[in-house]
């Protein structure tokens, strides 16, 4: 059965699409919660939500599923990448690839690697500190309404004090934009949704999603660095 | 008629499958803009033979865009710069005077070079043999195909898929070296018709299995194949094959 689930080229493609769509839904949740910082209330709303995400049992279970999904997406992607390289051992002396496809659709492995590099730094900045080592900022907790909350908002301000970090985050978002621009519609094609009647809707949704979500993400470090949000 | 065109050709020369090949440069002159691309190579070959050199080996048969033999990668594109045509339907008026033209064979692990520009596309035959057919009982009272009612839209879609000539441009163009457009066209052609229902599920399973065994790459929906396909087959057929494959895996028996 394991061979049946991963063995064929088409099965690898389905897993790529399924994990991709799963990661897309994660991006929506992550983006909505982080966008709470734009209430500009000193991080009050954001910290409450971050507390919920860090303590709710269902969310914490989903966090494990998320990591598994991410790993599957990466491993599957690497397998596809190396198999595809073997499928054309001798390269063309002259290849005009731009005549028939976009550069980003041909560069999903590269874009994925860039996103992964960003992700390692990102996990170090926030996941590691909230889940394992504790926050760097002092005091690491604040109180309101008689509850004790981790001050993740102040941690964000602390992390985004450095210009190079802001630049790396923005570059990560740009890589994500290109990756999604192909990945979103590609996932639906892989799952077989390419009836003429859905095609333009999916393409439009994919383009809009690829622009909106990474832009909101990129605005966060920029807003905190420039002091737009206090 | 005014004087013909002068061109610089950079052609892949390779003695046989095992020997190393290389790009060799040949000037050709007096090429009429009305010649087809293959006629232009004929002119070059005449001059090579006259000089006692080995002519460039290339595949061709019908020279009218229906056999799919004239596989050539011309100036970085399968079947050259024009859309919806094969190499034999490409004319020299599509090139500029003095232009340098690269001519290479299909590059794919599954299509070994036999000689110069000729490749062995036997992999496609084996995929076809794995399921690209319908078993029809021809003895006794056979049913006239025209007597079976088929919705017009399905008939049109099946016909569009059936126009695939098995040329291999899709696999040659695909940055992943994937043959999905070809296989999907063959699967779709039968999946849409009542005659194809009996073997519908095992067909898609067996053809995909054979495709993987031949060493083709994996589709990542780049879409270069549909742009370069001389029969303008849309990647919609690939989406259909994906659905067919998924369904066949969920419930393998018919
Ligand atoms: S799908 Fe198009 S490019 Fe591929 S083999 Fe058929 S005709 Fe040639
Ligand atoms: S020679 Fe038959 S298609 Fe070109």
């Amino acid at each position: 059965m394991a061979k049946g689930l991963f063995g064929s080229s088409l099965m690898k493609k389905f897993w790529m699409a399924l994990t991709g769509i799963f990661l897309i839904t994660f991006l929506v949740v992550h983006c909505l919660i982080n966008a709470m910082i734009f209430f500009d209330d000193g991080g009050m709303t954001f910290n409450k939500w971050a507390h919920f995400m860090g303590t709710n049992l269902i969310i914490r279970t989903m966090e494990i599923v998320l990591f598994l999904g991410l790993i599957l997406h990466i491993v599957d992607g690497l397998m596809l990448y190396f198999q595809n390289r073997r499928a054309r051992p001798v390269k063309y002396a002259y290849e005009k690839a731009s005549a028939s496809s976009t550069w980003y659709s041909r560069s999903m492995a590269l874009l994925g690697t860039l996103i992964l590099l960003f992700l390692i730094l990102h996990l170090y900045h926030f996941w590691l500190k909230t889940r394992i080592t504790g926050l760097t900022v002092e005091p690491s907790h604040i109180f309101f309404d008689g509850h004790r909350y981790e001050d993740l908002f102040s941690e964000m301000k602390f992390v985004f004090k450095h210009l190079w970090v802001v630049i790396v985050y923005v570059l990560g978002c740009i890589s994500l934009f290109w990756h999604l621009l192909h990945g979103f519609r590609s996932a639906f094609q892989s799952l077989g949704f390419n009836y003429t009647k859905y095609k333009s809707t999916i393409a439009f949704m994919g383009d809009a999603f690829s622009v909106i979500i990474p832009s909101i993400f990129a605005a966060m470090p920029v807003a905190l660095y420039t002091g737009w949000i206090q | 008629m005014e004087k013909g065109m002068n061109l610089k050709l950079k052609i892949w020369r390779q003695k046989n499958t095992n020997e190393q090949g290389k790009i060799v440069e040949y000037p050709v002159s007096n090429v009429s803009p009305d010649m087809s691309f293959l006629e232009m190579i004929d002119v070059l070959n005449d001059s090579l033979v006259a000089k006692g050199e080995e002519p460039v080996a290339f595949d061709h048969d019908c020279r009218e865009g229906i056999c799919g033999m004239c596989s050539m990668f011309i100036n970085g594109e399968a079947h050259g710069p024009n859309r919806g045509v094969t190499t034999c339907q490409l004319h020299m008026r599509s090139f500029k005077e003095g232009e340098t033209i690269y001519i290479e064979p299909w590059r794919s692990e599954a299509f070994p070079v036999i000689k110069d520009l000729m490749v062995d596309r036997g992999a496609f035959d084996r995929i076809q043999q794995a399921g690209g057919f319908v078993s029809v009982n021809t003895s006794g009272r056979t049913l006239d195909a025209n007597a079976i009612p088929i919705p017009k839209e399905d008939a049109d879609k099946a016909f569009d898929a059936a126009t695939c000539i098995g040329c291999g441009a899709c696999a040659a163009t695909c940055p992943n070296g994937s043959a999905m457009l070809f296989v999907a066209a063959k699967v779709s052609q039968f999946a849409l018709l009542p005659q194809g229902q009996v073997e519908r599920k095992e067909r898609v399973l067996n053809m995909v299995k054979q495709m993987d065994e031949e060493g083709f790459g994996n589709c990542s929906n780049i879409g270069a194949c549909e742009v370069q396909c001389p029969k303008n087959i849309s990647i919609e057929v690939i989406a259909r094959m994906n659905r067919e494959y998924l369904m066949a895996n969920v419930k393998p028996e018919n």
Side-chain angles (χ1 to χ4, degrees), chain B residues 215-233:
Chain B
F216 289 109
N218 303 277
C219 173
S220 65
N221 308 320
I222 290 173
C225 52
E226 69 173 357
V227 177
Q228 299 289 2
C229 169
K231 298 296 155 188
N232 293 326
I233 289 174

Side-chain angles (χ1 to χ4, degrees), chain A residues 7-14 80 83-84 86-97 99-101 105-106 182 186-187 189-196 199, chain B residues 73 75-77 83 102 104-109 171-172 174-177 180 211-212 215 217-222 224 227-228 235-236 238-239 242-243 245-246 249:
Chain A
S8 81
S9 57
L10 261 69
M11 276 300 170
K12 291 198 197 78
K13 205 173 136 123
F14 291 135
L80 290 172
Q83 266 185 5
N84 291 346
R86 277 202 299 276
R88 180 163 302 136
V90 184
K91 303 271 168 281
Y92 290 104
Y94 176 29
E95 190 173 5
K96 210 165 155 189
S100 44
S101 58
S105 69
R106 297 190 301 269
H182 177 67
S186 175
Q189 163 83 5
S190 287
L191 294 175
F193 288 90
N194 186 348
Y195 297 97
T196 318
K199 204 172 167 180
Chain B
F73 213 72
N75 266 355
E77 294 184 76
R83 298 289 172 254
Y102 278 82
E104 297 173 76
W106 289 167
R107 296 294 187 202
S108 165
E109 171 69 6
C174 176
N176 299 326
M180 286 278 276
M211 168 179 88
D212 290 349
N218 303 277
C219 173
S220 65
N221 308 320
I222 290 173
V227 177
Q228 299 289 2
I235 56 170
E236 239 174 82
I238 298 184
N242 294 340
R243 294 198 291 277
Y245 190 78
L246 208 52
N249 264 289

